[in-house]
Amino acid sequence: MRLLVVRHGQSEADILKVCEGRADFSLTKLGHEQAESTAEYLSKNYEVDRIYASTLKRAMQTAEHISKKTNLQVILEDKLQEFDNGLRAGLEYKLAYEKYPNIPTAMHESHYQQESKLEFRMRAEYVLSKILSENDPTSTIVIVSHGGMIMRLYQAFLKLPVGSNVKLITGDAGIHDWSIEDGQKFINYSNFCPFISN
């Protein structure tokens, strides 16, 4: 099985410099161009069987570009949404962290109506398990999500400890190519952004 994990393109929140998370912003013009380049690359280099996407606008709009290039319907999946950042969502960065400063918190606890770090990781474990189990081992699957969730999907895929502090960067509309062959897991490449090569 091949998993092509894609981050959404640039969103309006990136321009406004606000905490995004569950704030539901659309792609910018550049974001659509990035998504189109990624869709073009995927359609030319892979035989995609299914597309899954987060239900937040920026991910759905990115997935729609891939859908048009591959003639596949997008399967919407709530559990692929970004971290639920609670009361910080949509606030300008400085204001968000002044009003709701970071507080040392146990993994299972949370503040400001956010989900806990443990809930976020378990959501990634659940959705990855679901996608793997409902698709044929020979299939190629596109998963369109968000930077924070993609990091948790990496942790789930590689079976890293729940408290792992590994940081994996994903640029706008960046692609991560993973595969599973004979029970072995491979990271074929990470954070390839086709629009930068154009």
Side-chain angles (χ1 to χ4, degrees):
M1 182 180 289
R2 176 161 256 116
L3 298 174
L4 301 165
V5 185
V6 177
R7 183 175 180 263
H8 60 80
Q10 182 191 68
S11 76
E12 293 167 353
D14 298 325
I15 303 301
L16 296 170
K17 304 296 183 192
V18 299
C19 292
E20 197 160 24
R22 291 295 177 88
D24 203 8
F25 287 88
S26 295
L27 294 180
T28 62
K29 180 177 181 291
L30 175 59
H32 280 289
E33 291 169 0
Q34 292 168 339
E36 183 66 14
S37 292
T38 291
E40 183 77 17
Y41 178 83
L42 291 173
S43 66
K44 283 184 175 177
N45 291 281
Y46 299 93
E47 289 290 330
V48 177
D49 296 296
R50 275 193 177 164
I51 305 165
Y52 291 83
S54 156
T55 51
L56 293 172
K57 286 177 192 171
R58 56 199 186 270
M60 289 194 295
Q61 291 170 347
T62 300
E64 200 54 42
H65 284 273
I66 302 167
S67 171
K68 287 176 183 172
K69 292 287 184 185
T70 58
N71 294 311
L72 294 168
Q73 280 195 314
V74 178
I75 301 166
L76 296 176
E77 176 54 70
D78 279 340
K79 286 187 167 54
L80 285 170
Q81 288 188 7
E82 184 57 290
F83 176 68
D84 186 347
N85 55 346
L87 297 174
R88 285 178 178 160
L91 294 180
E92 186 269 329
Y93 287 126
K94 186 173 181 220
L95 175 62
Y97 286 91
E98 281 175 358
K99 281 186 77 170
Y100 309 113
N102 287 333
I103 300 170
T105 307
M107 186 171 293
H108 69 285
E109 297 176 334
S110 66
H111 300 282
Y112 315 130
Q113 300 175 22
Q114 298 176 345
E115 70 182 325
S116 70
K117 291 177 184 175
L118 185 60
E119 287 169 327
F120 193 24
R121 172 64 184 271
M122 289 305 103
R123 189 153 56 82
E125 293 282 351
Y126 178 95
V127 74
L128 181 61
S129 176
K130 179 176 182 286
I131 291 169
L132 293 178
S133 67
E134 65 190 21
N135 287 285
D136 188 274
T138 62
S139 56
T140 296
I141 310 300
V142 171
I143 300 171
V144 184
S145 191
H146 310 265
M149 174 51 82
I150 290 172
M151 192 160 61
R152 281 12 177 240
L153 289 171
Y154 259 110
Q155 292 170 350
F157 183 72
L158 296 174
K159 300 297 181 197
L160 297 177
V162 172
S164 173
N165 201 26
V166 174
K167 302 287 183 189
L168 297 149
I169 303 302
T170 306
D172 292 336
I175 305 167
H176 304 264
D177 179 324
W178 309 343
S179 57
I180 304 172
E181 301 168 28
D182 298 323
Q184 288 189 298
K185 294 177 179 177
F186 297 87
I187 305 295
N188 301 307
Y189 62 78
S190 295
N191 196 29
F192 173 60
C193 301
F195 64 92
I196 291 176
S197 304
N198 291 345

